[in-house]
Amino acid sequence: MSVPPITVLLVEDDPDQAELIQRALKRQAIPVEITHVPNGPQCLEALSRAQYSVVLLDYSLPGINGLDVLRTLKQQGNRVPVVMVTGQGDERIAVEAMQEGASDYLIKTAGYLTTLSMVLSKVRKQHELATENLRLFEETRQRAQEQEVLNAIATAVSQSLAMSDLLRISLEKVLEVTGRERGHIYLRDHETGKGRIAVQREVSEQALRRLLTRPGRIDEVFTTGVPFVVNDAMNDPLSEESSREGVQALALIPMNAKGRVVGILNVSTRQPLPFRSPEIELLQAIGNVIGVALENARLYEETELRRREAEELARIARTLTESLDRSAVSERIVESVRRFFGVEFAAVYQLQPDRSLSVLAVDGAASGVLQ
C-alpha cells in the first residue's frame, strides 16, 4: 500500500537554505511534496488556500518573524503542525516557539538536515494522532449531548399524558436545545385527514392559516416520512409567508409512531443558523420520541374516554334501577349528557300518541326557552 506524501510548506527567505532543505527532503525514502514561500505573509496566504501536513518555518524572516506567524495561526485557530527552524544558539527562541504552539523545533547545527525527514514524520504522526483523538472526543461529546437532549425530551414528555401539555413542553425543549426561536407542531386526524396546529411559537397567524389551507411541503413529509430542510433561503424554495417573515433556515421533521407519521415538527429561524446533518439526525430522534409519546397520549385519552363512558352508563343504569320517576331519570340523563360531551344544552323528549313531543327534562342555556 502506497504511503501518502507529506505535504510541506517551507517558509525560508534564504534561497540557498531553501534549496538545501528541499534536496535533503527529496533524498529521503518517504514521499514529500514541497511548496516554498519566502516570508510570513505568503505563508499565511498559502495556508488560507490549501492544507499541509506540516509547516517548516524559519524564525528569521523579513517583516514578520516566525514567532509572529505562529501567533497569527494561533489566533486564527489554525492547527497545522509547525516545526520552527532557528539559528545556532537560539534555544530560547525554540522554547518560546513551543510555548506559542509549535509542534517541534530544529536548530541549524551541523548535520541538522539529516534529521529533518525524521522530525517531519514524527510531527505528522503526532498531529494525526492528536487530530484523531480530538475527533473521537468531539464525537463522544456530541453523542453525550444528543443523549442528554433525548433524555430531557423523554423526561419532559413523560411528565404529562395530556396531549396539549406534552406538545407544548416538547416544542419548548426542541427550540431550547437547537437555539432556534420559531416552530410549531402540526397534527392531522388519521381518519378525517383534517390538519391542525397543535402548538406554535413565534409564527404569525397568516403563516399558520396558509399551513392549514395549503400545507404543501407538510403533505410531502407526511407521505414520504423524509425530513425537508432549507438552509439557504436565497436559493432554496420557501413559502411566501416564511420568506416574508425573514426565515433563513427551516426544517420539517416527521414524528413517527408504529410505522406511520403522526405529526410534523417545524423548527425555523430568522438567523443564519443552517441545519447540519448531525442536528437533523438528532431532530429525527427527538421527533420519534415525541411521536411515540403522542401515540401514547392518544391511547391514554381514548382509554379515559371509554372509562368516562362506562362510568356515565353505570350512573344512568343505577338511576333507572333506583327510581321509576320519569322526570328524575330524564334529569339524570341530561345532566350526564352535558357533563360527558361538554355541550351547552341537552333535553329528553317523550313521543306522545299524537306524534307530538313533550319535554321531560332539559338542562343548559336554552332550558328556559323550551320550558
Side-chain angles (χ1 to χ4, degrees):
M1 185 173 63
S2 62
V3 178
I6 297 178
T7 55
V8 178
L9 178 61
L10 172 60
V11 190
E12 173 62 68
D13 63 316
D14 186 332
D16 293 335
Q17 280 291 322
E19 180 66 23
L20 289 173
I21 291 171
Q22 292 184 72
R23 286 181 182 179
L25 288 175
K26 290 177 180 177
R27 284 197 299 266
Q28 305 303 315
I30 59 172
V32 178
E33 294 178 359
I34 305 169
T35 300
H36 172 233
V37 294
N39 54 54
Q42 290 188 36
C43 167
L44 296 173
E45 182 183 357
L47 289 172
S48 69
R49 290 186 280 103
Q51 293 183 338
Y52 294 89
S53 304
V54 64
V55 177
L56 195 57
L57 178 65
D58 188 47
Y59 168 73
S60 300
L61 296 172
I64 61 173
N65 62 33
L67 286 177
D68 293 329
V69 173
L70 267 177
R71 293 187 185 102
T72 301
L73 292 176
K74 190 175 182 180
Q75 291 170 359
Q76 293 175 347
N78 192 324
R79 295 192 176 120
V80 61
V82 177
V83 175
M84 179 70 79
V85 181
T86 68
Q88 188 173 359
D90 287 341
E91 289 88 350
R92 180 187 57 80
I93 294 174
V95 171
E96 190 174 353
M98 297 292 287
Q99 292 173 344
E100 291 295 337
S103 301
D104 209 334
Y105 65 89
L106 282 169
I107 298 176
K108 293 179 180 178
T109 57
Y112 87 97
L113 291 176
T114 60
T115 63
L116 189 55
S117 177
M118 181 182 65
V119 170
L120 294 183
S121 295
K122 181 190 73 172
V123 166
R124 182 176 74 163
K125 288 179 180 178
Q126 288 175 342
H127 180 68
E128 289 175 348
L129 181 60
T131 301
E132 179 64 11
N133 288 340
L134 180 61
R135 185 190 67 80
L136 292 173
F137 173 78
E138 288 295 328
E139 188 175 285
T140 302
R141 186 187 64 81
Q142 177 73 18
R143 294 292 176 264
Q145 184 182 31
E146 291 177 2
Q147 192 59 52
E148 182 181 347
V149 170
L150 287 171
N151 289 342
I153 293 288
T155 300
V157 300
S158 66
Q159 290 175 355
S160 173
L161 282 175
M163 196 174 296
S164 58
D165 290 341
L166 183 154
L167 295 175
R168 176 183 54 78
I169 294 171
S170 298
L171 182 61
E172 288 175 356
K173 277 290 181 182
V174 166
L175 296 180
E176 176 186 331
V177 299
T178 62
R180 271 73 176 194
E181 76 279 7
R182 305 173 77 254
H184 67 262
I185 292 178
Y186 177 96
L187 302 180
R188 183 175 290 168
D189 190 295
H190 67 279
E191 294 180 356
T192 65
K194 186 176 181 180
R196 66 184 179 92
I197 305 297
V199 62
Q200 65 87 18
R201 171 85 69 81
E202 298 291 331
V203 183
S204 72
E205 290 296 326
Q206 185 178 5
L208 294 175
R209 284 196 298 271
R210 179 183 173 87
L211 284 170
L212 293 174
T213 56
R214 299 175 62 186
R217 290 290 184 181
I218 286 180
D219 283 337
E220 182 179 322
V221 177
F222 258 106
T223 301
T224 65
V226 176
F228 172 74
V229 181
V230 172
N231 278 329
D232 183 1
M234 295 294 293
N235 298 314
D236 289 334
L238 275 172
S239 70
E240 183 180 344
E241 283 73 16
S242 295
S243 299
R244 186 182 299 119
E245 292 182 12
V247 172
Q248 295 193 44
L250 174 146
L252 298 178
I253 307 296
M255 301 190 302
N256 298 292
K258 296 183 177 179
R260 66 183 180 90
V261 180
V262 297
I264 303 294
L265 169 64
N266 170 291
V267 183
S268 62
T269 179
R270 299 185 183 91
Q271 306 173 58
L273 294 174
F275 294 90
R276 304 303 183 192
S277 295
E279 188 175 19
I280 294 300
E281 292 175 5
L282 176 60
L283 285 172
Q284 285 183 273
I286 291 173
N288 291 336
V289 170
I290 298 174
V292 172
L294 193 63
E295 182 68 9
N296 290 340
R298 184 186 66 80
L299 295 174
Y300 172 77
E301 289 190 353
E302 286 185 358
T303 302
E304 281 295 291
L305 180 63
R306 299 294 178 264
R307 182 185 62 78
R308 289 171 55 206
E309 287 177 350
E311 288 179 353
E312 292 298 335
L313 289 174
R315 187 176 293 112
I316 292 173
R318 285 196 301 271
T319 302
L320 292 173
T321 59
E322 291 170 357
S323 174
L324 295 178
D325 186 333
R326 288 182 301 174
S327 297
V329 172
S330 299
E331 287 175 1
R332 178 62 63 87
I333 290 173
V334 293
E335 289 175 5
S336 296
V337 167
R338 282 200 64 201
R339 180 172 53 252
F340 182 75
F341 291 103
V343 295
E344 296 181 358
F345 165 75
V348 173
Y349 300 88
Q350 182 179 17
L351 181 65
Q352 301 298 327
D354 63 357
R355 311 300 295 176
S356 64
L357 295 174
S358 63
V359 179
L360 290 180
V362 61
D363 189 29
S367 59
V369 176
L370 290 178
Q371 293 176 340

